[in-house]
Each structure stands twice: as C-alpha cells, then as structure tokens.
Amino acid sequence: MAKNYFDLKDRVAIVTGCSGGLGVQMAKALANQGATIVAVARRQNKIEEVAKEIADEFGVPTWCYQCDITDTEGVNKMVDAVLEKFGRIDILINNAGTGAVAPAEDITDEQFGNECNIDLFGTFRVARAVAKKAMIPAQYGRIINIASMYGLVGNKVAGSAPYHAAKGGVVNLTRALASEWGKYGITVNAICPGYFYTPLTKETLDSDFFQANARTMIPEERYGHEGELDPAAIMLASPAASYITGIMLPVDGGYTCM
C-alpha cells in the first residue's frame, strides 16, 4: 500500500512571522499537505489576508492571531486561544525575526538587545509556551526554529553581528530544547536559510555587489527560489520525522559547505 509520509491532515500548525515572505511560503507548504494553519504576526490586516488566501487556495481551516513575540503575556494568551479554538498544537514554525545591519563597531546597545529579544528570546518564548501548554501534555510535537546560515558562519559582505549572535543562539537553543523535550515525543530542529528574496531583502540582494557575491560564495551561483524552503519545512513538520531532532538544516545553495 502506498504511504504518504508527509500527510499533515488534521495537524494544527502555528507559523509566526506569517505576514509575508518565508513565513507565508512555509505556511502554504504545510497547508498543501493538509495542515490547519494559524498565522501569527503583529500586523492584523496582513495575517487576515494571509489566512484568507491560504483557505481559498488550499481549502484547509485557517485562523490568524495578532501577537508580538516579545510580549510573554501576549504569547501565552495566543497559545491559550489556539488551544481553545482547535484543541491541539502539533507543529510550531518559529519564523518571526528581524535584522540589524551595520558595522559591528557602530551597533548600538539598543540594536543588539532588540535583535536578541526578537530572534532569540522570542523564539524561546513561543517554544516554551507551546511545549508547556500543548505539546508536553500531548506527548507529541514538531518545533522548527528558523535560524540562518549566518547562525553557522560569519560574513564579510554585510555587517550584522547582532543577527549572527541571535541566530547562533537559536542554533544552540534548538539543540538544548531537543535534548530536554525528546522524552515527550517532541522534536526540535532548525532550518538555516541562505539568501532568499523577501520584501526586506530584495533591494539588498538585487544590488550589483550582492549579485557578484552570490556567484562567488554560493556553489549554485544564485539565490534561493520561492518554494525551495518548503521541502525542509514539510519533512521536519511531518510525523515521519520522528527520529530527527536537534539538527541544523542549511538550505543555502551550498554557502556553508565552503
């Protein structure tokens, strides 16, 4: 009998940072496999649009919830609301993040603190609430933290020390949570994307300097295309990935292999 290893029907997935870019792409990838999608971000109008678009395109249940992941009380309320509506949370994609770009010597305390509060502490806040309230009681869960190839290596082309520090923290936070929560049937993994077009990166990636850098530093000599992050998200979110935990999966065209 044929088996669909990546069937997500009846699974409930929260995707943070789901107002645009990679968050929406991954939410659509899970919806394509049948998952119920909860779009979470700060901009209510955007997540309402995303939830409707996904429901119309894929025919799966969708919902949206406005939440700032730097607000612990707000995160807890969001998780409670999802549980009240759907009764379970099977998948969490921790995608919300930001990026401060400036030479390290010019980075302010506020920039560094804000980066870590959103990208690192925000990731932990949501994972903690989802695990404690939903996944540990259910003895099942799939947590996918969106780190970055810059959480694995440094770079010379765009000064972003706070981003490197925060995403490097996400990398080892992933290992720590995988170690602690494995006994509850929860897997915790990280995807480390390379250069992908989003509304925030388009101007930078289209510059002559970055185009030349891509040809030099990326073995595939190009940026990631829309949809090329999807297989990693689908696989790690699936029940079939039950013995995969604590890994960092670069999706970067080979950037980190050199």
Side-chain angles (χ1 to χ4, degrees), residues 1 19 30 51 61 85 89 92-93 104 110 127-128 140 145 150 164 182 205 209 211 216-217 224 230 240:
M1 178 184 292
S19 58
L30 300 190
K85 185 169 183 65
I89 300 169
L92 167 63
I93 296 187
E110 290 74 20
R128 175 180 61 189
Y140 178 90
N145 297 325
Y150 281 177
H164 284 266
L205 295 184
F209 177 77
Q211 292 281 348
T216 302
M217 295 297 295
D230 297 355

Side-chain angles (χ1 to χ4, degrees), residues 31 35-39 50-52 54-56 60-64 85-86:
T36 295
I37 301 298
V38 180
V50 167
K52 183 178 186 307
I54 291 174
D56 290 346
V60 298
T62 63
W63 197 45
C64 62
K85 185 169 183 65
F86 295 108

Side-chain angles (χ1 to χ4, degrees), residues 58-81:
F58 299 99
V60 298
T62 63
W63 197 45
C64 62
Y65 194 98
Q66 183 182 30
C67 180
D68 182 345
I69 65 167
T70 67
D71 176 7
T72 297
E73 183 179 359
V75 168
N76 288 331
K77 287 181 177 178
M78 179 271 291
V79 173
D80 288 340

Side-chain angles (χ1 to χ4, degrees), residues 19-37:
S19 58
L22 299 181
V24 174
Q25 290 179 32
M26 289 184 287
K28 287 185 174 182
L30 300 190
N32 187 63
Q33 302 305 116
T36 295
I37 301 298

Side-chain angles (χ1 to χ4, degrees), residues 149 194-197 201-215 218 220-226 228 251-253:
M149 66 182 186
Y195 296 128
F196 281 82
Y197 278 113
T201 64
K202 187 177 188 310
E203 183 178 352
T204 299
L205 295 184
D206 278 343
S207 67
D208 291 341
F209 177 77
F210 258 80
Q211 292 281 348
N213 177 68
R215 289 189 290 273
I218 303 172
E220 294 198 15
E221 298 186 357
R222 64 174 178 84
Y223 305 139
H225 294 153
E226 183 174 343
E228 290 189 316
V251 185
D252 61 3

